[in-house]
Amino acid sequence: SQLSAVRGIVASPAHCFAWSEDAVYSWGRNTRGRLGHSNELRDVWTPTVVPFFQGKNVLQVALGGDFSFVRIVRHYVSIH
């Protein structure tokens, strides 16, 4: 996967996440599925798109030793 227009990147000792306008990428150790790629627990050593977050507006990503947290915008309000 190619990282383009990266808005942010965060890292824990075991895994990393980066996000752009329309995608979230993760890589590192996949203990307990913390990378979000699938139920497979294989480690991933190159930035790989997390399919669930494609096209979603990501506000924030936080990582811990055994978890990954992605905050997205779910609703848009337009005031005229």
Side-chain angles (χ1 to χ4, degrees), residues 7-10 18-24 53 55-62 69-76:
R7 288 185 170 177
I9 187 166
V10 292
W19 64 98
S20 64
E21 183 175 320
D22 61 356
V24 173
F53 295 108
K56 295 191 170 70
N57 189 4
V58 176
L59 295 175
Q60 179 182 17
V61 177
F69 170 83
V70 178
R71 184 176 167 209
I72 61 172
V73 173
R74 292 191 61 188
H75 302 283
Y76 296 91

Side-chain angles (χ1 to χ4, degrees), residues 26-40:
S26 66
W27 64 100
R29 298 208 178 275
N30 196 26
T31 307
R32 298 186 184 124
R34 66 180 155 208
L35 297 180
H37 296 287
S38 69
N39 290 331
E40 295 179 24

